[in-house]
Amino acid sequence: MDNKKKWMAGITAISLIMIFLLFFVLLSGEKDKGGRPETATDTEAEKADSRLEDTTVENDAADRQKSANRENPKETAENAVVDQNGNTKTITKTTGSNTPKASVQVKKDSKSSNTNSTTSKSSSGSKSSGSSSKPSNPAPKPSPKPQPKPQPKPKPAPKPQPQPTPTYLSASEAHDILSGAGVFKKSGNEYNMFDSWGLYMITVTVGSDHVKEVFFDGTLYYTYKNDTLERLIEDFGEEEGRRQYEFQQQMIRKIEAGIRAAANAVYGSGTSKANSLYSEILQGGKSKTGYYREF
């Protein structure tokens, strides 16, 4: 029973304390509202709140406008207006999801344009009376195109001059010269000269009309031509060396006589062509293969 009384007394005390606190809070709020004077700070705060509310309203309106533009397509309207100069202006206004745009197109009245042009012509005519108008900046004259240089005509190729037909001795005259040289051995139409070992040194072939071929191997000729008496005496002694030297000189003269007879048998004795052919045969004999020519 005592515990119950204590519990009830505690609850009653707590309730009284809560009522007292609530009364104190309410009393303090009434003093703040009635007792504190309104200041400039309060006015600025109220203005800021008002601007915030206006901005909120404008944002809401803009959002509603954007949603309306998404739903409604663009619309275009054109209005024609005539200004004080008689020009017709077409104003095109586009409305829709984006910001409205307006474009102006100016159309000149033909009557007013003609009047203005007539007036300008008359005024310009009065100003330039007695004098012809010249452009301030005349157009530059086009530079003349360079003329192509004439191409030189190709020179005609020189016509080949007919070569004179070489004049050869007849076959009968060639036989007479080769037989009369006394240095060849005849075999049919061929005239041959051999060395001491039986090798061909000179061969001249006579055809039905004239000499056809000349051959010369100058191995022995240039061997003897380059030898000396001193070497022969040193190798073979005085007497034998001199005898060998004399034999070589005889063979050199015999070979030269055979070459001279071959050249004369082709072109004739004592002619310039025969002399030229004689030198040609001697020089050609230095080759390892010898000299050979057909006529």
Side-chain angles (χ1 to χ4, degrees):
M1 193 67 181
D2 293 333
N3 292 331
K4 186 176 181 180
K5 289 180 179 181
K6 290 179 180 180
W7 184 71
M8 291 297 292
I11 293 175
T12 302
I14 293 172
S15 299
L16 290 175
I17 293 171
M18 294 293 291
I19 292 170
F20 176 77
L21 292 174
L22 179 61
F23 177 75
F24 179 78
V25 171
L26 292 175
L27 183 60
S28 299
E30 290 296 332
K31 288 182 178 181
D32 292 336
K33 291 181 180 179
R36 185 173 57 85
E38 187 176 359
T39 61
T41 304
D42 295 335
T43 303
E44 291 177 358
E46 289 177 359
K47 290 181 180 180
D49 294 337
S50 177
R51 287 195 298 270
L52 180 60
E53 290 178 359
D54 294 339
T55 303
T56 304
V57 172
E58 290 176 359
N59 292 337
D60 294 338
D63 293 338
R64 287 194 298 273
Q65 182 63 34
K66 288 181 180 179
S67 62
N69 290 338
R70 294 192 193 99
E71 296 175 358
N72 298 327
K74 295 181 180 179
E75 296 181 358
T76 303
E78 294 184 357
N79 294 325
V81 179
V82 180
D83 60 5
Q84 58 182 0
N85 295 326
N87 298 329
T88 302
K89 299 181 179 180
T90 302
I91 301 176
T92 303
K93 185 177 182 182
T94 303
T95 60
S97 59
N98 298 326
T99 304
K101 297 179 181 179
S103 61
V104 178
Q105 182 179 2
V106 180
K107 295 183 179 179
K108 292 185 178 180
D109 189 358
S110 61
K111 294 181 179 179
S112 61
S113 176
N114 293 334
T115 303
N116 294 334
S117 63
T118 304
T119 304
S120 63
K121 287 181 181 179
S122 61
S123 62
S124 63
S126 62
K127 290 181 180 179
S128 60
S129 59
S131 63
S132 59
S133 60
K134 294 183 180 179
S136 59
N137 295 322
K141 295 182 180 180
S143 58
K145 296 182 178 179
Q147 296 296 329
K149 294 182 179 179
Q151 298 294 331
K153 295 182 179 180
K155 295 181 180 180
K159 295 181 180 180
Q161 298 295 329
Q163 297 295 329
T165 303
T167 302
Y168 300 119
L169 286 184
S170 64
S172 61
E173 291 174 318
H175 282 293
D176 292 340
I177 292 175
L178 294 171
S179 299
V183 294
F184 295 108
K185 290 184 178 180
K186 184 180 179 182
S187 175
N189 291 329
E190 287 185 356
Y191 293 84
N192 300 307
M193 180 185 293
F194 302 97
D195 60 13
S196 57
W197 295 279
L199 299 178
Y200 289 91
M201 289 189 297
I202 301 174
T203 299
V204 181
T205 304
V206 181
S208 58
D209 298 328
H210 56 270
V211 173
K212 294 295 185 182
E213 298 175 353
V214 173
F215 169 76
F216 169 56
D217 182 359
T219 303
L220 183 65
Y221 175 81
Y222 286 103
T223 299
Y224 289 168
K225 192 78 173 175
N226 295 327
D227 207 353
T228 62
L229 176 61
E230 290 78 7
R231 188 198 70 82
L232 292 174
I233 294 174
E234 183 179 352
D235 291 344
F236 299 102
E238 180 72 22
E239 185 177 352
E240 184 62 22
R242 289 185 177 278
R243 192 176 67 81
Q244 290 288 335
Y245 181 76
E246 185 61 30
F247 173 77
Q248 290 179 358
Q249 293 302 310
Q250 290 177 359
M251 288 297 299
I252 289 173
R253 289 191 292 270
K254 181 180 179 181
I255 293 170
E256 290 176 350
I259 294 173
R260 175 66 67 182
N264 291 339
V266 175
Y267 292 113
S269 300
T271 61
S272 61
K273 288 185 177 182
N275 295 333
S276 176
L277 181 59
Y278 171 79
S279 300
E280 178 183 317
I281 295 172
L282 277 178
Q283 292 297 322
K286 293 180 180 181
S287 172
K288 292 181 180 181
T289 58
Y291 173 84
Y292 175 79
R293 179 178 173 181
E294 294 181 353
F295 302 91

